[in-house]
Amino acid sequence: MRFAWSVFLFVSCSLSAHDFSEFPRTPAVVDILVNEHGFARSQVDDWMARGAYQEAPSRNLSAPAETTKSYAQYKPMFLSKNTIRKGRVFRAKHQQLLVKAEADYGIPVSIIVAIIGIESRYGQSTGRHGTFDSLGSLAVTEGRRADYFQREWIQFLVIARQQGLDPLKIKGSYAGATGYPQFMPTSYDAYAVDHDGDGDIDIWNDPYDAIGSVANYLKENGWRRGAIIVSKASVKDPSAAVKVNSFDRNRTLMEVEKLGWYSAIRQPDDAQVFPIRLDGEAGTEYWLGYRNFWVISRYNHAIAYSMAVFQLAEAIEQ
């Protein structure tokens, strides 16, 4: 009965509330912004009254393309001829600071460009959802992850104040990611850098800072300079008991070779590997991901995403 009543309250709020001031979780957010971060209560109350609850963020968060589409459907979204061409244009235009980022952080130029290409079409499509509304909608209603989104919502407002931005005008993804690299607010705090040394960290309008920030993100998550990312695999027995498309970090190349999976590029027996099976355009594909493949997944925890980054990077290089 208690569960049914809580569901009723949640649905009632979702259907009747138009601004954030009507949600039970909002007063705590207001208090934190005022008491811990020094915002004026009148200003925060005004934002909450002008914000608008959206159902789309919760709906989209539960069914992202990288987990609901086959790879044959997902890949063309990011590896079209136009995306590859624009990636080469972006690389040529920003070559100097891309090379500097590779030297400073050890991340290949093509990987940096590919991530920015997938995340925001090289800064041309940074999102159409109001970030304040997206984060707020998830913070007040998104079940077990509400606390996470509440922290992101608060930090977003802190960053907007630091940067002199109007939080109600910033656009981003349905989950609250913004800018060229589509960083969540806490990722901005942890990884964004002033790559061009102009005294400001701007990932919304400055591609140079975006380039450095993506590179720093990957470096801080464990990227190994010059190491392999992924290789094609030949599989002796496709029915063998190998856990595929998982980022479990407890398998070595030697172990999967005993089960009939062989890397096209020879690596040490104790190399950490991630067996991959994809439904590609020409049928089933087998791959072995390595440590740097896993690092890319820290950006988006999906096999399809990491593979798209790798293949777009290769296409831009060719």
Side-chain angles (χ1 to χ4, degrees):
M1 191 69 179
R2 171 186 253 174
F3 173 78
W5 177 245
S6 67
V7 171
F8 172 76
L9 286 176
F10 171 82
V11 173
S12 296
C13 282
S14 298
L15 294 176
S16 64
H18 299 288
D19 63 65
F20 294 117
S21 63
E22 300 180 43
F23 286 85
R25 292 179 60 92
T26 301
V29 174
V30 174
D31 287 343
I32 291 172
L33 288 166
V34 172
N35 298 329
E36 297 183 20
H37 297 284
F39 285 87
R41 187 173 294 273
S42 59
Q43 175 67 85
V44 179
D45 285 341
D46 178 62
W47 285 332
M48 296 303 171
R50 291 167 61 196
Y53 172 77
Q54 309 287 333
E55 291 186 358
S58 292
R59 183 173 62 249
N60 293 339
L61 202 64
S62 66
E66 57 268 23
T67 60
T68 57
K69 295 181 181 294
S70 69
Y71 193 64
Q73 296 170 320
Y74 181 80
K75 179 180 176 181
M77 296 168 60
F78 304 108
L79 273 85
S80 68
K81 291 181 178 179
N82 191 42
T83 305
I84 296 166
R85 179 186 62 80
K86 288 184 176 180
R88 292 171 180 159
V89 171
F90 184 89
R91 181 184 62 183
K93 183 176 181 180
H94 305 297
Q95 181 73 8
Q96 182 177 353
L97 285 182
L98 280 163
V99 170
K100 181 179 185 298
E102 180 168 356
D104 290 349
Y105 300 102
I107 316 301
V109 164
S110 59
I111 291 292
I112 300 171
V113 174
I115 286 179
I116 294 176
I118 288 176
E119 292 295 334
S120 66
R121 294 297 194 271
Y122 313 105
Q124 296 177 356
S125 180
T126 56
R128 57 187 176 83
H129 301 271
T131 302
F132 180 82
D133 290 345
S134 293
L135 289 173
S137 298
L138 293 166
V140 297
T141 61
E142 178 48 33
R144 63 183 178 84
R145 299 190 69 189
D147 289 345
Y148 163 75
F149 284 107
Q150 177 177 302
R151 291 191 296 272
E152 296 292 345
W153 198 22
I154 290 168
Q155 199 55 39
F156 165 72
L157 291 169
V158 172
I159 293 168
R161 179 176 63 181
Q162 291 171 348
Q163 293 293 320
L165 303 172
D166 183 345
L168 300 187
K169 292 184 178 179
I170 298 174
K171 300 288 186 180
S173 75
Y174 61 80
T178 63
Y180 275 71
Q182 291 291 281
F183 275 1
M184 295 296 286
T186 54
S187 291
Y188 174 91
D189 281 341
Y191 306 111
V193 296
D194 179 15
H195 189 52
D196 56 2
D198 65 356
D200 185 40
I201 302 176
D202 180 3
I203 64 169
W204 300 274
N205 304 296
D206 188 343
Y208 299 143
D209 286 351
I211 287 166
S213 298
V214 169
N216 187 48
Y217 185 102
L218 296 175
K219 176 180 179 291
E220 291 299 317
N221 276 280
W223 186 275
R224 294 177 179 170
R225 187 188 294 261
I228 189 173
I229 299 173
V230 65
S231 70
K232 289 184 177 180
S234 58
V235 178
K236 184 176 180 180
D237 180 8
S239 65
V242 177
K243 187 175 184 180
V244 298
N245 299 353
S246 166
F247 281 113
D248 290 348
R249 301 171 64 188
N250 59 355
R251 291 163 295 181
T252 66
L253 180 58
M254 178 183 288
E255 290 169 346
V256 299
E257 281 185 339
K258 289 179 179 178
L259 296 170
W261 282 62
Y262 302 98
S263 175
I265 303 174
R266 188 62 207 166
Q267 293 294 299
D269 288 344
D270 61 353
Q272 186 181 80
V273 293
F274 306 93
I276 301 163
R277 182 177 64 222
L278 297 175
D279 297 322
E281 301 100 317
T284 304
E285 301 175 8
Y286 297 99
W287 301 78
L288 286 171
Y290 293 89
R291 167 76 182 191
N292 283 348
F293 187 82
W294 174 86
V295 172
I296 294 172
S297 79
R298 300 308 88 193
Y299 223 105
N300 182 317
H301 298 186
I303 292 288
Y305 177 87
S306 292
M307 184 59 72
V309 168
F310 169 73
Q311 292 189 326
L312 178 56
E314 277 205 324
I316 289 170
E317 282 294 331
Q318 288 173 358

